[in-house]
C-alpha cells in the first residue's frame, strides 16, 4: 500500500508531466465553456456557473497542488532558480484569484427613478418567484434549481426535472410565516410544472364554457378583416381591454341603484371654480360644452382634456384647454389641476401655431379659473382618446355604455336584449363595433415558444421572455397559470402581467411573477439627475445619443460618508476602492424619468494582478537576469579551478 501511494505521488503531484496535463485539461475546459455555449446550455449553466463548477475546481486544485509540490521538492531555491519560483508562485496566485472571481462575482441591475434612493439590486444569476396578495404585500421564493436554456413540460416528457431539483411544494413565506396563514390558515403551496426560456403567453377565449361576459366584433369589410375580443364579468384580470383607440371595461352590479350614480358621475368629472370681480361660480363642465358666466359678458368653452400632459418640470399632469370669450376679445387658456398660474394663448397672431401665440403672463388678470378633477368610478381615459365603461346588472339582458372622451361630452347608450352596436374611436376615425352579452364563455392560457429564427440575442441574454407554468395548490383545489418574467418585479410602478390566481373561498387574489432575486447593496444610491447628451443638431427623439449621464450620490450607511460621481458611457463609478462598479446600462427613452445601472463587483482582481506581476517579473528574471548570474557563476568556477591547478602537488615522502 505504501509503495502504491509513493508511485501515485511520484507520477501525479511530483510529476511535471502531470502538471502539464492539468494545464491542458484546464485550457480545454475554458475553451469549451467560452466557445461552445451549447455545452453550457446542455448542463443548464450560465458562463459564471460553468466556470465555478466542481470539475474546474478539481482541476485547478490538482494543478495548484502539483505546482506547489514540484516547486518545493524538485527545484532548489538558489539564485538561478528564483525566476522559476516567482513564476510558479505567480501562477498559483493567478489561479487562486481567478477562483475567487468566478465564485464571488456578482452581476446585476437596478432601476432608479430620478430623485429616488435604492438600497438593493437584482442579481442576473439568481431567480425568484414573487407573490403579491391583493395588489400589495410582496413575498418571494428563490428558485435555485430553475433551468435556464431548455424547455421542460409534461408535453415534452421531461417535467420530472422540477421534482429532482426541488421546485415542487414551494411554500411562500411572508414575514417569517407561511403565506397561507395570512390568507386564513390555508395550506398554500406552489409547484413549478413547466419552463420555457423564450416564449409568449397567449390568451384563448371560446364560447364553450359557463362564464358571463361580452363579445366585441370589429369588421372591416373593405379589408376583409374581422376581429373578435372578449371581456369577462367575474374575472378582474380580463374585464378590460383596448379596442382601436378606446379603452373598454365592464362593471357589474348586483342591484340597479348603482347604475344611475355611475352615469351621473360622468357629468361631474371636471369642475371649474370661476372668479371675476363681483362674480363667483362653480361649474361642472364637459368637453365641448359652452358656459355663459352670468351677466359678466364672459363665456367659457371646454375644448379638450389631457390626462398626461408633460409639464416643464418633467411631471405628467392633468390639463384642460378652454376658449375664453370676454368683452376684450377671445383667447385660449390652459389650466393645470391644483395650480394657480394658467397659460394663455393669443389668437390670430401671424406666424403662430393652431393654438395661437403662447404668452408669458395672463391676458386677463380679472379672470381666475381653478380646476379640480374627480372620477370615483374611473370613467375617464388614462392614455387613449376615450373610455367605454359598460355597466351590467346581474341577471339582466340589458346593459349601459358610458363613454367619456377627452374632447367630447359624455355619452350614455342603452343596449337592450343583449345585442347592439357601439361607436368607438380608431385614431381620427370612428367605427361601429358589434357587442353581445354572452353566458357561455371560457378562458384559458397557452404558452407559445418563439421560433429560434425569431429570437434576438439581447432578449435571450436578458431572460425577458422566460415563462414558467406554476401550479397553485390549496387543499384539493389547484390551478395552473402561466407566469412571465419581469425585470424589476418589486420596484414601485412596475406593471405585472398575467400570473393571476383567485383563491376559492376567499376574496384574495394572488399575482405571480418571475424575476431576478434582489440582493442588498453595500450602500444606498440616489439618482440626483439624469442628463441626455445629444449629438450636434440632435434632440430627445433622436435614435442615437452621444452620452447618457446619471448623477449619483452613494451613501455608506455604516460610516455616513457620501460619494458623488457621474456614471456615463465608458466611465463607470467605482466604489469601496474599486471593489464595486456602477455603470450606465439603460434609460427611460419616453420621459427620462429613470435610469438603469449595471451593478458588479471585482473580487480577486488584486490577487490576479499580483500573480500576473509575479509571472512577468519571474520571466524577466529567467530570461535576462538568470543568464548573467549563470555567466558569473561559470567565471567564478573557472577561476576557482585555475587557482586549484596552480597549487604545487603534495609530494609523497618515504620514511
Amino acid at each position: 500500500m505504501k509503495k502504491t501511494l509513493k508511485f501515485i505521488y511520484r507520477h501525479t503531484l511530483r510529476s511535471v508531466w502531470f502538471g502539464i496535463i492539468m494545464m491542458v485539461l484546464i485550457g480545454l475546459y475554458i475553451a469549451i465553456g467560452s466557445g461552445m455555449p451549447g455545452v453550457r446550455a446542455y448542463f443548464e449553466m450560465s458562463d459564471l456557473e460553468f466556470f465555478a463548477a466542481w470539475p474546474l475546481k478539481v482541476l485547478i486544485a490538482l494543478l495548484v497542488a502539483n505546482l506547489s509540490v514540484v516547486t518545493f521538492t524538485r527545484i532548489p531555491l538558489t539564485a538561478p532558480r528564483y525566476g522559476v519560483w516567482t513564476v510558479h508562485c505567480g501562477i498559483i496566485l493567478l489561479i487562486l484569484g481567478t477562483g475567487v472571481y468566478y465564485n464571488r462575482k456578482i452581476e446585476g441591475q437596478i432601476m432608479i427613478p430620478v430623485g429616488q434612493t435604492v438600497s438593493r439590486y437584482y442579481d442576473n444569476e439568481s431567480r425568484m418567484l414573487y407573490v403579491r396578495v391583493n395588489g400589495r404585500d410582496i413575498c418571494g421564493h428563490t428558485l435555485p434549481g430553475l433551468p435556464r436554456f431548455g424547455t421542460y413540460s409534461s408535453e415534452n416528457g421531461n417535467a420530472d426535472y422540477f421534482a429532482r431539483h426541488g421546485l415542487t411544494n414551494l411554500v411562500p413565506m411572508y414575514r417569517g410565516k407561511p403565506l397561507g396563514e395570512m390568507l386564513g390558515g390555508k395550506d398554500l403551496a406552489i409547484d413549478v410544472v413547466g419552463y420555457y426560456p423564450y416564449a409568449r403567453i397567449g390568451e384563448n377565449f371560446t364560447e364553450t364554457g359557463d362564464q358571463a361576459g361580452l363579445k366585441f366584433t370589429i369588421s372591416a369589410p373593405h379589408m376583409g378583416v374581422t376581429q373578435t375580443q372578449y371581456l369577462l364579468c367575474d374575472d378582474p384580470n380580463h374585464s378590460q381591454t383596448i379596442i382601436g383607440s378606446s379603452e373598454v371595461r365592464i362593471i357589474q352590479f348586483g342591484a340597479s341603484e348603482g347604475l344611475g350614480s355611475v352615469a351621473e358621475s360622468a357629468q361631474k368629472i371636471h369642475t371649474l371654480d370661476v372668479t371675476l370681480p363681483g362674480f363667483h361660480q362653480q361649474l361642472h363642465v364637459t368637453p365641448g360644452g359652452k358656459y355663459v358666466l352670468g351677466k359678466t359678458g364672459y363665456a367659457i368653452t371646454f375644448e379638450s382634456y389631457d390626462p398626461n400632459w408633460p409639464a416643464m418640470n418633467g411631471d405628467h399632469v392633468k390639463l384642460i384647454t378652454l376658449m375664453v370669450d370676454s368683452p376684450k376679445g377671445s383667447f385660449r387658456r390652459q389650466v393645470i389641476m391644483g395650480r394657480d398660474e394658467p397659460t394663455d394663448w393669443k389668437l390670430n397672431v401671424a406666424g403662430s401655431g393652431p393654438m395661437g401665440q403662447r404668452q408669458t403672463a395672463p391676458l386677463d388678470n380679472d379672470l381666475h379659473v381653478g380646476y379640480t378633477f374627480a372620477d370615483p368610478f374611473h370613467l375617464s381615459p388614462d392614455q387613449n382618446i376615450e373610455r367605454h365603461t359598460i355597466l351590467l346588472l346581474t341577471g339582466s339582458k340589458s346593459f349601459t355604455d358610458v363613454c367619456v372622451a377627452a374632447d367630447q361630452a359624455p355619452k350614455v347608450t342603452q343596449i337592450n336584449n343583449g345585442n347592439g352596436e357601439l361607436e368607438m374611436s380608431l385614431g381620427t376615425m370612428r367605427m361601429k363595433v358589434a357587442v353581445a352579452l354572452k353566458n357561455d364563455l371560457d378562458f384559458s392560457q397557452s404558452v407559445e415558444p418563439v421560433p429560434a429564427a425569431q429570437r434576438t440575442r439581447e432578449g435571450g441574454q436578458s431572460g425577458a421572455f422566460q415563462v414558467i407554468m406554476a401550479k397553485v395548490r390549496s387543499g384539493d383545489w389547484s390551478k395552473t397559470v402561466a407566469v412571465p418574467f419581469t425585470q424589476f418585479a418589486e420596484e414601485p410602478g412596475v406593471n405585472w402581467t398575467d400570473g393571476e390566481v383567485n383563491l376559492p373561498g376567499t376574496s384574495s387574489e394572488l399575482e405571480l411573477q418571475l424575476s431576478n432575486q434582489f440582493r442588498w447593496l453595500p450602500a444606498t444610491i440616489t439618482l440626483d439627475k439624469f442628463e441626455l447628451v445629444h449629438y450636434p443638431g440632435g434632440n430627445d427623439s433622436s435614435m442615437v445619443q452621444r452620452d447618457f449621464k446619471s448623477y449619483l450620490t452613494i451613501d455608506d450607511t455604516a460610516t455616513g460618508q457620501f460619494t458623488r460621481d457621474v456614471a456615463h458611457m465608458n466611465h463607470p463609478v467605482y466604489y469601496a476602492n474599486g471593489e464595486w462598479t456602477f455603470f450606465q446600462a439603460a434609460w427611460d427613452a419616453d420621459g427620462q424619468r429613470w435610469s438603469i445601472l449595471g451593478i458588479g463587483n471585482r473580487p480577486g482582481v488584486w490577487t490576479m494582478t499580483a500573480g500576473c506581476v509575479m509571472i512577468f517579473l519571474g520571466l524577466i528574471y529567467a530570461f535576462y537576469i538568470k543568464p548573467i548570474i549563470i555567466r558569473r557563476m561559470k567565471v567564478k568556477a573557472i577561476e576557482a579551478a585555475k587557482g586549484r591547478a596552480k597549487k604545487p602537488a603534495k609530494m609523497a615522502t618515504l620514511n
Side-chain angles (χ1 to χ4, degrees):
M1 181 66 180
K2 192 173 183 180
K3 290 183 178 180
T4 302
L5 292 176
K6 284 184 178 180
F7 178 85
I8 295 174
Y9 171 72
R10 285 197 307 269
H11 290 81
T12 55
L13 299 183
R14 202 171 182 272
S15 170
V16 174
W17 282 106
F18 182 81
I20 293 174
I21 292 172
M22 290 300 102
M23 294 179 67
V24 170
L25 291 177
I26 290 173
L28 287 174
Y29 188 100
I30 293 173
I32 291 171
S34 302
M36 301 176 67
V39 175
R40 299 200 313 265
Y42 177 81
F43 291 103
E44 291 293 352
M45 290 182 179
S46 65
D47 53 351
L48 287 180
E49 291 172 333
F50 190 81
F51 292 120
W54 69 265
L56 185 59
K57 291 180 180 178
V58 170
L59 292 175
I60 287 175
L62 290 173
L63 177 60
V64 170
N66 174 265
L67 278 174
S68 301
V69 172
V70 169
T71 303
F72 279 94
T73 63
R74 299 188 60 172
I75 304 176
L77 186 58
T78 59
R81 294 172 175 83
Y82 287 165
V84 176
W85 272 72
T86 304
V87 170
H88 283 197
C89 291
I91 292 173
I92 292 173
L93 275 181
L94 179 60
I95 290 173
L96 293 176
T98 303
V100 171
Y101 179 87
Y102 279 110
N103 281 276
R104 296 178 53 198
K105 174 64 177 172
I106 291 173
E107 293 180 352
Q109 290 185 334
I110 184 61
M111 181 178 70
I112 314 179
V114 175
Q116 300 296 313
T117 300
V118 297
S119 57
R120 61 191 178 190
Y121 69 97
Y122 290 80
D123 190 341
N124 291 348
E125 297 298 314
S126 302
R127 284 161 296 172
M128 175 177 279
L129 179 61
Y130 290 83
V131 183
R132 189 163 60 188
V133 183
N134 297 329
R136 62 184 192 280
D137 300 328
I138 297 178
C139 62
H141 200 294
T142 56
L143 304 172
L146 191 69
R148 191 174 294 270
F149 301 102
T151 299
Y152 297 83
S153 65
S154 57
E155 291 81 4
N156 284 12
N158 54 2
D160 61 328
Y161 178 96
F162 305 110
R164 288 187 282 113
H165 289 78
L167 294 169
T168 58
N169 200 33
L170 307 177
V171 180
M173 305 297 290
Y174 180 76
R175 296 182 179 178
K177 295 182 179 180
L179 181 61
E181 293 186 12
M182 172 185 168
L183 302 175
K186 293 182 173 292
D187 54 337
L188 183 67
I190 300 174
D191 301 328
V192 178
V193 296
Y195 175 78
Y196 301 83
Y198 210 119
R200 296 186 179 95
I201 299 176
E203 297 186 342
N204 306 308
F205 290 89
T206 61
E207 298 179 30
T208 58
D210 57 1
Q211 299 185 62
L214 294 175
K215 176 182 179 181
F216 298 88
T217 305
I218 307 102
S219 298
H222 60 290
M223 300 176 62
V225 175
T226 299
Q227 180 183 359
T228 302
Q229 290 185 241
Y230 294 89
L231 293 181
L232 300 178
C233 297
D234 297 325
D235 187 347
N237 305 308
H238 298 94
S239 62
Q240 55 187 357
T241 188
I242 303 293
I243 298 178
S245 304
S246 300
E247 302 168 13
V248 185
R249 66 170 184 152
I250 296 175
I251 300 181
Q252 189 172 23
F253 291 87
S256 59
E257 289 78 9
L259 297 175
S261 60
V262 175
E264 183 181 351
S265 70
Q267 306 292 328
K268 300 179 180 180
I269 294 174
H270 308 282
T271 302
L272 300 182
D273 194 84
V274 184
T275 302
L276 286 163
F279 177 85
H280 175 266
Q281 186 176 2
Q282 190 175 75
L283 301 169
H284 294 303
V285 297
T286 58
K290 183 174 182 178
Y291 305 89
V292 177
L293 305 181
K295 298 180 180 180
T296 62
Y298 284 79
I300 292 177
T301 301
F302 187 171
E303 288 193 333
S304 64
Y305 158 69
D306 192 324
N308 291 287
W309 176 264
M312 298 292 290
N313 63 357
D315 292 341
H316 285 254
V317 298
K318 300 182 186 300
L319 173 140
I320 60 171
T321 301
L322 308 172
M323 176 66 75
V324 178
D325 298 313
S326 73
K328 301 177 183 178
S330 299
F331 61 94
R332 279 192 174 88
R333 172 165 290 187
Q334 290 183 315
V335 184
I336 295 174
M337 185 181 72
R339 299 188 184 181
D340 295 330
E341 293 297 326
T343 299
D344 286 352
W345 300 77
K346 192 174 184 180
L347 307 179
N348 303 320
V349 177
S352 62
M355 281 287 293
Q357 185 184 65
R358 190 178 188 275
Q359 305 297 297
T360 58
L363 291 171
D364 190 331
N365 288 313
D366 291 335
L367 176 65
H368 296 275
V369 181
Y371 168 55
T372 56
F373 176 90
D375 190 6
F377 296 102
H378 203 178
L379 304 176
S380 185
D382 290 325
Q383 300 289 341
N384 291 274
I385 294 175
E386 63 188 22
R387 165 170 280 185
H388 290 260
T389 302
I390 298 178
L391 312 178
L392 292 172
L393 182 62
T394 303
S396 174
K397 293 184 178 181
S398 301
F399 51 91
T400 303
D401 173 59
V402 180
C403 176
V404 175
D407 56 357
Q408 296 181 13
K411 182 180 179 182
V412 178
T413 304
Q414 183 72 26
I415 303 292
N416 297 314
N417 300 321
N419 288 277
E421 279 189 341
L422 295 176
E423 189 178 75
M424 295 187 181
S425 172
L426 180 61
T428 58
M429 302 171 57
R430 306 295 293 177
M431 61 180 177
K432 295 287 187 179
V433 178
V435 56
L437 182 63
K438 308 291 291 185
N439 292 302
D440 58 354
L441 299 181
D442 188 27
F443 168 76
S444 62
Q445 286 182 318
S446 62
V447 179
E448 303 165 359
V450 176
Q454 299 178 15
R455 302 181 184 184
T456 63
R457 181 179 179 183
E458 181 182 354
Q461 290 179 341
S462 67
F465 292 90
Q466 298 175 88
V467 177
I468 66 172
M469 298 300 294
K471 183 179 181 180
V472 182
R473 295 184 287 108
S474 180
D476 296 331
W477 173 88
S478 67
K479 182 177 181 180
T480 301
V481 293
V483 180
F485 180 91
T486 298
Q487 190 173 11
F488 305 108
E490 201 166 348
E491 300 309 301
V494 173
N495 293 325
W496 288 20
T497 58
D498 298 301
E500 301 94 351
V501 179
N502 293 308
L503 294 178
T506 73
S507 59
S508 298
E509 180 190 56
L510 295 186
E511 296 175 82
L512 309 179
Q513 209 78 173
L514 178 65
S515 186
N516 291 326
Q517 182 179 0
F518 79 84
R519 300 187 187 276
W520 299 109
L521 287 165
T524 61
I525 304 177
T526 302
L527 178 60
D528 300 313
K529 183 176 71 170
F530 179 82
E531 181 181 351
L532 191 63
V533 182
H534 313 294
Y535 283 103
N539 53 45
D540 287 358
S541 61
S542 301
M543 295 298 295
V544 180
Q545 308 294 341
R546 191 175 71 181
D547 205 351
F548 321 90
K549 295 184 177 181
S550 293
Y551 293 79
L552 306 176
T553 297
I554 305 173
D555 178 14
D556 188 331
T557 53
T559 63
Q561 294 182 339
F562 288 86
T563 302
R564 288 185 171 86
D565 207 334
V566 181
H568 55 97
M569 287 197 298
N570 301 320
H571 185 279
V573 173
Y574 297 102
Y575 177 72
N577 296 321
E579 182 178 350
W580 287 82
T581 306
F582 309 127
F583 55 92
Q584 187 67 45
W587 58 287
D588 174 23
D590 292 331
Q592 301 175 36
R593 297 161 296 179
W594 43 261
S595 176
I596 294 180
L597 296 181
I599 309 292
N601 65 347
R602 301 163 62 87
V605 170
W606 290 113
T607 304
M608 288 188 283
T609 303
C612 292
V613 170
M614 291 185 68
I615 293 171
F616 174 76
L617 294 176
L619 292 173
I620 294 294
Y621 189 96
F623 284 100
Y624 295 100
I625 300 177
K626 177 182 175 179
I628 297 174
I629 294 174
I630 290 176
R631 281 199 302 269
R632 289 179 178 178
M633 292 177 67
K634 285 182 178 180
V635 170
K636 289 182 179 180
I638 293 172
E639 290 177 351
K642 288 179 179 179
R644 288 194 299 270
K646 290 179 180 180
K647 292 181 180 180
K650 293 183 179 180
M651 299 297 295
T653 59
L654 298 174
N655 295 323

